[in-house]
């Protein structure tokens, strides 16, 4: 078999370097493939053949070293080792340039020159293939970051993805790279910034990165006019909507508890409107709903079955009344719920366990603005 050599360490040993086979698998992207290899053993049980697989990310050009610093230093093109023969040549002139697995080009080699290398395998171990590469000057590809609300980190690997791996980056305020950027990980102002990529020979290129910091979306709230119970308030009419913004409605300032029906609010409270723009920036604004109640209003039934409808016992009360105690009692006289917060709605449970259907009794004890006692009671049916 061709390609064997005599060992310089032990003359009785013949060996053969790796015999590479180049496979372009780009048409199989996303698919699972199986490769089978047959080894040509020299002598049964005395020697064995084996294979290594090397997967390169640069599928289209498995030739390295093609970036030159014009007039500064020569470059060395390298391709896959282990083929029987190599032929490097200029694509335009067809001039033969070298016959090893690497090729040194002078510093005067112009950018844009195309070089090809013909890979000739050992007989019976593959087909002749020709690889092409173009001599390039140093460059920095910049993937522009999306608009952000607070800051942009231009040192993120996603911004310089696709560049040659030997580049070292620095960050600058100006295109002439005279003013360093002090905190490239936390840019809070929109504008153009610059990334300088420098390779090991000292050549560099500059890429522009455009940072867009989006302002929080605006919203101006006008509290709705008070209404008399049983009228409700539509808090979605408390602002003028703008195109491209998304509005949502919440019970709390941290916007963790959604307001189920913002078009029909039936109790006095401060609610919150969350505005989100296309970049994900958020503004939260309060809106006050005021309903005038004739004293205390409590429904005579509710259904705590977890379906999201009428699951709690809502208590509607005139703002002039301050609650000292609100109690729920079962038919045996046990206090199953008590609170001084009238908006701490009862969910039909006692000590964490759901109570059976039936009639329960409520008692309210409070005072009005004149410190006169306000006491009221009634019954409520728990249904399922």
């Amino acid at each position: 078999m061709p390609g064997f050599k005599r060992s310089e360490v032990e003359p009785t040993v013949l060996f053969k370097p790796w015999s590479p086979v180049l496979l372009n698998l780009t048409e199989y992207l996303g698919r699972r493939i199986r490769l089978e290899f047959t080894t040509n053993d020299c002598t049964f049980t005395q020697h064995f053949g084996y294979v290594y697989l090397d997967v390169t990310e640069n599928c289209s050009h498995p030739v390295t070293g093609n970036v030159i610093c014009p007039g500064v230093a020569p470059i060395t093109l390298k391709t896959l080792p282990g083929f029987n023969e190599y032929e490097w040549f200029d694509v335009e002139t067809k001039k033969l340039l070298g016959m090893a697995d690497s090729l040194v080009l002078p510093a005067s080699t112009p950018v844009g020159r195309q070089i090809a290398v013909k890979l000739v395998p050992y007989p019976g171990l593959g087909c002749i293939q020709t690889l092409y590469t173009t001599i390039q000057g140093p460059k920095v590809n910049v993937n522009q970051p999306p608009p952000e609300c607070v800051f942009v980190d231009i040192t993120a690997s996603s911004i310089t993805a696709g560049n040659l791996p030997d580049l070292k980056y620095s960050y600058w305020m100006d295109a002439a790279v005279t003013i360093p950027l002090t905190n490239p990980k936390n840019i809070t102002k929109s504008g153009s910034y610059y990334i300088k990529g420098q390779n090991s020979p000292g050549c560099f290129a500059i890429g522009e990165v455009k940072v867009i910091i989006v302002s929080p979306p605006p919203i101006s709230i006008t509290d709705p006019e008070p209404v008399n119970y049983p009228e409700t308030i539509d808090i979605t009419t408390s602002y003028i909507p703008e195109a491209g913004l998304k509005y949502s409605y919440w019970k709390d300032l941290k916007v963790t508890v959604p307001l189920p029906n913002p078009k029909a609010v039936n109790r006095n409270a401060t609610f919150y409107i969350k505005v989100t723009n296309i970049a994900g920036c958020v503004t939260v604004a309060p809106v006050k709903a005021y309903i005038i109640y004739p004293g205390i209003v409590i429904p005579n039934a509710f259904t705590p079955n977890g379906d999201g409808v009428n699951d709690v016992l809502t208590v509607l009360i005139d703002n002039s009344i301050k609650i000292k105690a609100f109690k729920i009692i079962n038919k045996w006289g046990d206090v199953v719920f008590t609170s001084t917060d009238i908006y701490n709605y009862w969910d039909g449970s006692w000590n964490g366990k759901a109570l059976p259907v039936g009639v329960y009794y409520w008692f309210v004890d409070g005072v009005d603005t004149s410190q006169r006692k306000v006491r009221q009671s009634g019954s409520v049916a728990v249904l399922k």
Side-chain angles (χ1 to χ4, degrees):
M1 293 178 62
F4 278 86
K5 301 178 181 179
R6 190 173 297 277
S7 171
E8 296 179 358
V9 177
E10 175 52 62
T12 61
V13 174
L14 297 177
F15 75 97
K16 186 176 186 301
W18 299 113
S19 299
V21 175
L22 184 63
L23 301 175
N24 186 343
L25 304 177
T26 53
E27 64 179 292
Y28 299 101
L29 285 174
R31 297 173 61 184
R32 177 177 293 181
I33 63 174
R34 186 178 75 175
L35 303 178
E36 293 186 358
F37 299 88
T38 301
T39 62
N40 296 320
D41 288 342
C42 300
T43 306
F44 181 64
T45 73
Q46 299 299 310
H47 193 64
F48 61 93
Y50 49 98
V51 65
Y52 284 120
L53 296 180
D54 181 26
V55 180
T56 176
E57 296 178 359
N58 192 7
C59 301
S60 57
H61 299 289
V63 177
T64 62
N66 63 342
V67 177
I68 192 170
C69 296
V72 175
I75 59 173
T76 301
L77 301 182
K78 294 182 180 180
T79 188
L80 304 173
F83 283 86
N84 186 25
E85 296 177 9
Y86 298 87
E87 295 180 15
W88 296 88
F89 58 92
D90 186 303
V91 172
E92 182 178 357
T93 65
K94 309 301 181 184
K95 179 182 177 181
L96 183 65
L97 303 175
M99 300 187 67
D101 60 3
S102 62
L103 174 69
V104 177
L105 293 176
S108 59
T109 303
V111 172
R113 184 181 183 185
Q114 283 191 303
I115 304 295
V117 57
K118 182 185 293 184
L119 307 178
V120 182
Y122 290 97
L125 296 178
C127 302
I128 296 176
Q129 300 191 56
T130 302
L131 307 178
Y132 298 86
T133 189
T134 301
I135 304 304
Q136 301 176 10
K139 63 179 180 179
V140 174
N141 294 316
V142 174
N143 305 304
Q144 299 300 331
E148 296 288 352
C149 303
V150 181
F151 72 94
V152 171
D153 177 6
I154 66 171
T155 70
S157 59
S158 58
I159 292 181
T160 52
N163 288 306
L164 294 174
D166 67 335
L167 291 182
K168 292 184 178 180
Y169 300 106
S170 56
Y171 305 89
W172 304 83
M173 295 283 293
D174 60 324
V177 295
T178 60
I179 306 173
L181 187 57
T182 55
N183 192 359
K185 290 181 175 291
N186 188 12
I187 297 178
T188 58
K189 184 178 179 181
S190 297
S192 290
Y193 301 88
Y194 300 89
I195 300 176
K196 177 182 176 181
Q198 185 167 328
N199 61 16
S200 51
C203 286
F204 65 87
I206 300 168
E208 181 183 10
V209 55
K210 296 180 179 180
V211 171
I212 300 175
I213 304 296
V214 181
S215 301
I219 185 170
S220 178
I221 299 292
T222 301
D223 291 334
E225 293 292 328
V227 299
N228 293 309
Y229 181 82
E231 289 185 69
T232 59
I233 292 177
D234 181 0
I235 66 171
T236 68
T237 62
S238 61
Y239 61 91
I240 299 175
E242 294 189 18
L245 299 181
K246 180 182 177 181
Y247 300 86
S248 56
Y249 310 92
W250 305 82
K251 293 182 179 181
D252 61 323
L253 178 59
K254 294 182 178 180
V255 294
T256 60
V257 183
L259 183 61
N261 192 357
K263 292 181 176 292
V265 172
N266 64 354
R267 69 178 178 91
N268 295 328
T270 298
F271 301 99
Y272 298 90
I273 300 176
K274 176 182 175 182
V275 193
T276 308
N277 62 19
I278 191 171
C281 306
V282 170
T283 297
V284 178
V287 56
K288 294 181 179 179
Y290 185 75
I291 298 176
I292 302 171
Y293 301 108
I296 301 170
V297 179
I298 298 179
N300 58 11
F302 74 111
T303 57
N305 55 10
D307 64 355
V309 179
N310 203 27
D311 282 334
V312 293
L313 178 63
T314 56
V315 179
L316 308 176
I317 191 168
D318 192 319
N319 282 348
S320 65
I321 300 175
K322 181 179 180 181
I323 298 300
K324 291 186 175 181
F326 174 63
K327 298 178 181 180
I328 305 290
I329 298 174
N330 63 17
K331 61 183 179 180
W332 292 285
D334 299 316
V335 178
V336 298
F337 179 79
T338 182
S339 178
T340 58
D341 179 7
I342 204 67
Y343 298 119
N344 180 21
Y345 297 143
W346 184 44
D347 62 0
S349 67
W350 183 20
N351 293 331
K353 295 182 179 180
L355 290 170
V357 298
V359 176
Y360 296 81
Y361 304 93
W362 57 263
F363 296 87
V364 175
D365 186 6
V367 295
D368 61 16
T369 54
S370 301
Q371 297 303 306
R372 290 176 298 188
K373 291 184 178 181
V374 177
R375 290 179 177 172
Q376 195 168 331
S377 62
S379 61
V380 59
V382 173
L383 309 175
K384 296 296 184 178

